[in-house]
Amino acid sequence: MSDEPSTVLERVFAQARQRPSAIALRRCDGTSVVRYGQLISEVDRLAAALGSHGVSSGSRVLVVSDNGPETYLSVLACARLGAIAVMVDRNVPPAAVRRFGEVTEPSVVLLPPTVEPATMAESLPQVPAITADIGSGATESVGAAAPAVRQGELGADDPLAMIFTSGTTGEPKAVLLPNRTFFAIADILACEDLNWISWVAGEATYSPLPATHIGGLWWILNCLMHGSECVTGGENSTSLAEILTTNQIASTCLVPTLLTRLVAEVKSGAPLPPLRMVGYGGSRAIASDVQFVEAAGIHTAQVFGLSETGCTALCLPTADGSIAKIEAGAVGRPYPGVEVYLAGGDGSLPPTVGGDSAESGTLWIKSPANMLGYWNNSDRTSGVLVDGWVNTGDIFESRSDGFFYIKGRSSEMIISGGVNVAPDEVDRIAERVPGVVAAACYEIPDAEFGALIGLAVVPAADLDEAQTRKLKQTIAARYRAESESMARPSTIEMVTEIPRTQSGKVIRTSLAARVHG
């Protein structure tokens, strides 16, 4: 499909040779600047430090991430040796770090300058730690050159990184991702001359998403492979609009909660950032936020996928009628070359044995960006990855317009009175009511019906008792008009916030505990 190199590192190094003086990575406060020409030497220096500890092709390296340039240099240094970068957020509790270490058995821990080596001693006392520090390489001296793999020795199917994921519940799974995960979709878009998502060499791009999340890692590596100026950091900033404006950001990738924050800031008087494109995904978007951004002339692209499918497999870009599709729950249509299948029944039968695709059912995806599997877990892998198809566990409906509309996760489906209730559908009805900023439903155990539906609502303003009662009545009336009886909330509670994952997905078990104790 593409004449481009077959690994992420080779593609990034090709950009470095073309534009050595251009900025490759920096933090939004102007620190940790790495130019493309410098990037090669920094990667080689850090790879040499890893090599001195015996890291080689196939080794695992625990990359502790603060989402800064040093984190991405660490990933590329691992790639220089053919090692696998195991991504771990610096704020993960010591017990979780120990568990990740038990699963992956890393040879070395790579730290950003913001994390002291002593902090790793409690979690992984037997594993040496190295600090990646721009300008001086590793903090320890290195005598020999890195045992780097030569161009052509590794290919698109060789592993590059590992991301831990458990969704909103369950034991974390180590998703093993090959090089192709990070460029297969971009290659398809280029080959088909589609501008659903686009990258521009030299353009400033920003990611507030963590590098330990598939969206954050995927976005920055794609931008590096296209010669963009990658800006990171600012996660604790009070103003997203200020970061985007000050750094003259032209493209960014956000989760919907950040998109909502950006729109609110601009509506409150912040200058509109000079954006060309906004990609967003990870959870359900609010159509009015997307409409506001598109009205300003900014191209948007909603993406859908999992860590297991290599970030994005479906896309809904700016187009006539796209806002109405978002309001109805559409997340997109497949990229050319990405196959999709809806499995009826319990959704467990893959396309190879399940017959024709259903109009509604569990979504299976066969993408050139799909994972290799779960690290050292063949049982879990065989349950999710079958003949190249990934079972997403998400319930979708396909419509005649070619788009796919999400109904919820099969694991989150609420069975009330024998009726399957899709939580996302319940949420969406409430969020279309004026005066509601956000809403999420949760399960309430019930002896007669098995479960009832509870609804938590974040109102747009502080309400007195009478206003609260009126808003609840308006919401209840909307459900009577739009949903079947078992999907209507039996109780509506006003809350100040809804618990979510980093990608913006509702944590419904936490919500239920918070509301009902």
Side-chain angles (χ1 to χ4, degrees), residues 283-287 302 324-331 395 399 405-408 422-433 436 439-441 455 478-479 482 508:
S283 60
R284 189 180 65 258
I286 297 176
Q302 178 174 213
K325 288 181 173 63
I326 295 169
E327 287 179 333
V331 300
I395 306 298
R399 297 186 185 175
Y405 294 74
I406 193 165
K407 300 299 179 182
D424 276 14
E425 286 292 287
V426 177
D427 301 349
R428 192 175 295 111
I429 291 173
E431 288 182 339
R432 290 201 295 263
V433 174
V436 174
C441 71
L455 183 71
R478 181 67 63 92
Y479 279 102
E482 296 188 14
R508 299 188 192 275

Side-chain angles (χ1 to χ4, degrees), residues 123-157:
S123 303
L124 300 170
Q126 304 304 318
V127 182
I130 299 174
T131 298
D133 198 356
I134 294 171
S136 62
T139 54
E140 58 185 70
S141 61
V142 179
V149 293
R150 290 187 294 273
Q151 184 171 344
E153 288 185 0
L154 297 178
D157 285 322

Side-chain angles (χ1 to χ4, degrees), residues 200-213:
V200 177
E203 180 180 83
T205 185
Y206 175 63
S207 173
L209 308 181
T212 53
H213 180 275

